[in-house]
Amino acid sequence: MKKILVIQQKMIGDVLASSILCNNLKSIYPDSRIDYLIYPFTRPVVENNPNIDNLILFKDEFRKSKKALLRFLVSIRKTKYDIVIDAYGKLESNLVVGVSGAKKKIGFYKSYTKFVYDETIREKSKPDTDAGLAIENRLLLLKSLSGGKTLDNRPKIFLTDDEIENGKRILESHNIDLSKKLYMIGVLGSGGNKTYPFPFMARLLDEIVAQTDATLLFNYMPIQEAEAREIFEMCAPKTQENIKFHIVPGSIREFLSLTYHCDALIGNEGGAVNMAKALLKPTFTIFSTWIKKEAWNAFDDGIRNVSVHLKDFKPQLYGNKSAKDMKDDAMELYGQFTPDLILPELRIYLERN
């Protein structure tokens, strides 16, 4: 039995994207043991995944205590992995790979860390499929192992029947009419420079309700409640009636159980969008003005999954610079990303979803 370790110490969207490595490795090596090294807070998106045998959590204490880190690295060494695949490529994962003693160590090419690996992969700059760069580049890590086998490029989230039923119970307990359109709204991004301006978002929400009379659920973190409330207050009275502001998921798994029953997720790009796609839910995504759209617009088809970026409408604002090069100008660029640019595509999307 091969022992395989996959490493992805990053955010929820990254951990979900890299879970396709675990899924495909289990297909390539059905009798293998697949371990997945992640941060504790990302655990909910990969719970119950039948292709992952063990979740190994890289805890905060490993950063704070050299002794704790050493004990952790020794445990990795003692496991005697046959294959280690590093989808993270930072110092923490370099250390894990370096001490693992694995017979085969695979990671992304960087001139200053290539010596850590037996095999390095150079990332593509342009996608070849609708899966997007984030997924395509990860699948390259399996190239030498797949034997030419067609790989599954779709991240998946596995909810239990109880979780699905619980989501339905929560909605029904708040008198949500499930025969009407129900949209989950990614009302806020993970930070200010990843959040569509509040007045602009309120305008989009007004349009959604005016066109569909849909019920809207807000997805936001508890520390963002005041900001979410600010957007709510900017909405028209009719829109406010349709927003069920008091229904707030108590956990990521609860968010997933609620989103399962929604017709689509609409809002800021981020982990919530990736999770909705992994539940095979339609998405309408508003990209931050400095995030590289082609990396994370997975499975855009112009119908079920649609994404918009300022660069699509006003490429002259970027010139020859990439979106990421414009990070310092993100907020100024948001001022140019007015609702009138988005509304025509959103209206068509709402008709279809």
Side-chain angles (χ1 to χ4, degrees):
M1 181 182 71
K2 285 190 181 297
K3 294 179 183 176
I4 304 173
L5 176 65
V6 177
I7 306 171
Q8 180 62 86
Q9 297 151 268
K10 211 174 180 183
M11 304 302 283
I12 283 172
D14 302 279
V15 168
L16 183 56
S18 288
S19 69
I20 60 172
L21 300 176
C22 303
N23 299 340
N24 282 292
L25 284 164
K26 188 62 85 171
S27 177
I28 296 166
Y29 304 110
D31 298 323
S32 62
R33 164 181 157 178
I34 309 291
D35 293 354
Y36 196 19
L37 175 56
I38 59 174
Y39 289 140
F41 74 90
T42 65
R43 179 176 186 159
V45 295
V46 288
E47 282 182 354
N48 300 321
N49 186 326
N51 303 301
I52 299 171
D53 296 293
N54 297 294
L55 291 173
I56 300 177
L57 306 180
F58 193 93
K59 302 173 183 175
D60 282 343
E61 67 184 271
F62 301 155
R63 289 201 192 98
K64 297 171 183 175
S65 166
K66 290 180 181 178
K67 188 179 289 186
L69 176 59
L70 181 59
R71 281 199 301 267
F72 172 73
L73 293 174
V74 168
S75 71
I76 293 291
R77 180 83 176 185
K78 284 182 177 178
T79 304
K80 297 182 179 179
Y81 288 104
D82 296 288
I83 302 171
V84 173
I85 299 174
D86 181 9
Y88 186 40
K90 298 290 177 66
L91 178 60
E92 288 175 358
S93 60
N94 295 157
L95 282 171
V96 174
V97 174
V99 304
S100 69
K103 299 166 188 173
K104 193 173 187 69
K105 302 181 284 290
I106 304 172
F108 290 118
Y109 175 85
K110 291 177 183 175
S111 60
Y112 50 91
T113 58
K114 62 180 180 180
F115 69 91
V116 177
Y117 308 94
D118 301 306
E119 180 184 332
T120 55
I121 301 298
R122 291 182 184 269
E123 296 179 78
K124 299 187 295 186
S125 58
K126 292 183 179 179
D128 295 318
T129 70
D130 67 356
L133 277 176
I135 286 176
E136 287 187 28
N137 280 324
R138 282 168 168 82
L139 287 179
L140 289 176
L141 294 168
L142 301 181
K143 190 173 183 180
S144 67
L145 305 175
S146 64
K149 184 176 181 177
T150 301
L151 300 176
D152 182 2
N153 63 5
R154 192 99 197 198
K156 299 176 179 66
I157 285 175
F158 298 85
L159 291 176
T160 66
D161 291 341
D162 284 347
E163 286 175 317
I164 292 170
E165 186 59 33
N166 184 55
K168 185 178 181 181
R169 271 198 304 270
I170 292 171
L171 294 171
E172 289 178 341
S173 71
H174 287 91
N175 299 314
I176 302 295
D177 183 355
L178 294 177
S179 68
K180 284 179 54 177
K181 287 287 186 182
L182 177 64
Y183 295 132
M184 181 66 73
I185 305 297
V187 69
L188 295 161
S190 58
N193 65 3
K194 288 188 176 182
T195 297
Y196 195 55
F198 293 5
F200 292 176
M201 178 60 79
R203 174 71 185 89
L204 297 185
L205 298 181
D206 287 344
E207 178 63 28
I208 292 170
V209 170
Q211 183 173 329
T212 67
D213 194 31
T215 302
L216 308 184
L217 305 178
F218 274 13
N219 176 51
Y220 57 88
M221 295 182 291
I223 59 172
Q224 297 175 314
E225 182 176 353
E227 295 169 288
R229 174 69 66 177
E230 202 174 328
I231 295 172
F232 174 85
E233 297 293 348
M234 292 179 179
C235 292
K238 170 59 179 170
T239 307
Q240 291 182 6
E241 287 178 18
N242 285 38
I243 297 170
K244 303 305 177 183
F245 194 86
H246 55 288
I247 302 178
V248 183
S251 67
I252 291 174
R253 295 298 290 191
E254 192 165 278
F255 160 76
L256 293 168
S257 73
L258 293 173
T259 302
Y260 178 89
H261 297 283
C262 293
D263 292 283
L265 184 145
I266 300 170
N268 290 283
E269 185 274 331
V273 171
N274 298 313
M275 287 188 274
K277 288 179 179 178
L279 290 171
L280 301 181
K281 289 293 169 180
T283 59
F284 186 95
T285 310
I286 305 167
F287 269 82
S288 168
T289 55
W290 66 274
I291 295 295
K292 189 175 182 180
K293 176 181 171 180
E294 54 268 37
W296 289 103
N297 65 335
F299 310 109
D300 271 15
D301 59 4
I303 301 172
R304 284 178 58 84
N305 293 309
V306 173
S307 62
V308 290
H309 194 295
L310 177 61
K311 196 173 183 179
D312 297 336
F313 303 100
K314 298 186 176 183
Q316 69 276 10
L317 295 175
Y318 292 82
N320 294 322
K321 292 183 178 180
S322 69
K324 196 169 184 179
D325 290 335
M326 304 292 277
K327 184 175 181 178
D328 290 341
D329 302 314
M331 303 313 293
E332 182 181 342
L333 290 168
Y334 261 134
Q336 301 279 332
F337 203 5
T338 52
D340 64 286
L341 298 177
I342 297 175
L343 283 170
E345 291 199 40
L346 179 59
R347 290 182 181 120
I348 295 171
Y349 182 84
L350 294 171
E351 288 175 6
R352 294 170 169 169
N353 298 281

